[in-house]
Amino acid sequence: MLPTVILPGYLESADVYLPLQQALTALGTPTTTVPLRKRDWLPTLGGRSMIPILRQLDRTVSAALVDNQAAQINLIGHSAGGWISRIYLGDIPYTIHGDVTEAEQLWNAKAKVANLITLGTPHISGERWTKKNLDFVNDNYPGAKHPEVRYVCVAGKSIYGEKKLGQWLAYSSYQQTCGEGNTWGDGITAIKAAHLTGAINIEIEGVKHSPRTPGIWYGSPAVLPQWTGYLS
């Protein structure tokens, strides 16, 4: 199997993905997580550039290719890691924040990626602090843009958003991402925001958004068989 790289979700560190990394490696795909720490996300706060994350992603992918003598990888993006991965695949220079030159080439990596698997990724959002970045992604790379890459978008169906105790967070988060609070999702990302046109779109019952949340999440052992078959 191809090597796999995991890109953590927003404000997450690599250590929380260690069980998933180990589980995937045991399945036969040597897996590495981009070695992010929570403080590595600080320069991106407030809708700023994702270049600091793309630099670490690119270094990790390059190392995985060399270490495994491979031509391609599987790329797994959890939460925001999914849409950041879409920037990485694309060939249009991500210079909208003025903090990188075209020469650095922290994008146009689609030839290196066989499969992009997104887990609970909000591919659309009305949040003002993500608008500039997500507008760049969706204006330039709508849906499963690159036919040479297989896109697999996994959504969880565990919490229905309502204005009542225990469901307020889900309601508010769904409303901010897809414009509708009364809908199903994983507690943070609504199903309709987690899927892309043209992708293989999967919906899994009972799955919650974060590896830190009690219960099962996308990387739980019982859930893995429902999406790991798409790793080459």
Side-chain angles (χ1 to χ4, degrees):
M1 292 178 74
L2 295 177
T4 295
V5 171
I6 301 170
L7 181 58
Y10 198 58
L11 296 178
E12 281 290 5
S13 56
D15 60 341
V16 76
Y17 297 89
L18 184 58
L20 174 58
Q21 177 181 312
Q22 293 172 333
L24 294 179
T25 299
L27 289 174
T29 172
T31 304
T32 308
T33 303
V34 179
L36 294 171
R37 300 158 296 181
K38 285 191 175 182
R39 64 176 177 267
D40 292 328
W41 292 96
L42 294 180
T44 74
L45 293 177
R48 286 180 282 178
S49 173
M50 291 295 163
I51 287 297
I53 308 303
L54 287 168
R55 283 197 179 105
Q56 293 210 47
L57 171 60
D58 188 57
R59 283 197 293 267
T60 306
V61 170
S62 296
L65 292 172
V66 171
D67 292 347
N68 295 280
Q69 299 183 351
Q72 289 186 303
I73 63 156
N74 302 303
L75 181 53
I76 297 173
H78 172 235
S79 195
W83 60 258
I84 296 170
S85 295
R86 291 166 66 201
I87 297 175
Y88 184 59
L89 294 181
D91 54 3
I92 297 172
Y94 175 66
T95 56
I96 60 174
H97 295 277
D99 61 340
V100 67
T101 65
E102 292 188 27
E104 195 163 351
Q105 278 288 310
L106 296 173
W107 43 81
N108 201 19
K110 57 184 178 292
K112 302 175 185 177
V113 179
N115 301 291
L116 172 62
I117 298 181
T118 66
L119 306 176
T121 292
H123 289 294
I124 57 173
S125 178
E127 296 172 326
R128 59 182 177 82
W129 50 88
T130 57
K131 180 173 172 56
K132 186 172 184 177
N133 286 316
L134 267 174
D135 281 355
F136 174 86
V137 175
N138 291 314
D139 289 348
N140 291 299
Y141 312 120
K145 171 70 174 179
H146 306 293
E148 61 268 57
V149 178
R150 179 165 60 182
Y151 291 69
V152 181
C153 299
V154 188
K157 183 182 180 182
S158 59
I159 300 176
Y160 187 80
E162 290 190 273
K163 292 182 177 179
K164 65 182 186 181
L165 187 65
Q167 293 166 273
W168 264 102
L169 174 61
Y171 177 90
S172 176
S173 184
Y174 300 163
Q175 190 172 52
Q176 288 179 333
T177 54
C178 73
E180 180 183 348
N182 297 122
T183 189
W184 282 98
D186 63 13
I188 296 295
T189 303
I191 293 170
K192 60 184 63 178
H195 286 166
L196 284 175
T197 300
I200 297 169
N201 292 311
I202 299 171
E203 179 183 310
I204 305 178
E205 292 280 346
V207 168
K208 294 181 179 177
H209 185 77
S210 171
R212 299 184 186 275
T213 305
I216 63 171
W217 82 291
Y218 298 97
S220 295
V223 176
L224 291 181
Q226 298 190 58
W227 61 264
T228 54
Y230 294 101
L231 297 172
S232 294

